[in-house]
Amino acid sequence: LAIELGSFIGYSAVRTARLLPPGSRLVCVEANPECVQAMEGVLTHAGLRDRVTIEQGLSDEVLPQLARKLGASRQAQL
């Protein structure tokens, strides 16, 4: 799992997601809805939309929710 804070239009997300080993995920946190929309198009064009999760919002709001989601999914795996 990799997390990117601030993704703009997704160039670095494409570069990162391509390097992740199989089964890995990239979570991108981006506050600007226009950037999220552009990023979705870039990731789709690159064929990487299935490896990247985009969380829209400010990091101080998104990260605690993400930690709860990840904690819950880890407990379900145990």
Side-chain angles (χ1 to χ4, degrees):
L1 176 69
I3 299 175
E4 178 179 70
L5 303 177
S7 300
F8 190 47
I9 63 167
Y11 179 76
S12 61
V14 168
R15 303 278 297 176
T16 302
R18 284 189 173 157
L19 295 174
L20 291 174
S24 298
R25 302 241 357 119
L26 173 63
V27 178
C28 297
V29 180
E30 175 56 55
N32 186 325
E34 292 172 357
C35 291
V36 169
Q37 187 176 16
M39 184 178 176
E40 288 173 344
V42 168
L43 289 168
T44 299
H45 181 72
L48 296 168
R49 193 63 187 94
D50 62 328
R51 291 189 194 181
V52 180
T53 301
I54 303 169
E55 297 286 343
Q56 185 178 332
L58 299 173
S59 60
D60 63 340
E61 298 166 354
V62 172
L63 290 178
Q65 296 172 14
L66 186 59
R68 281 193 292 278
K69 286 181 194 176
L70 293 174
S73 68
R74 281 197 179 265
Q75 287 178 356
Q77 291 175 355
L78 299 176

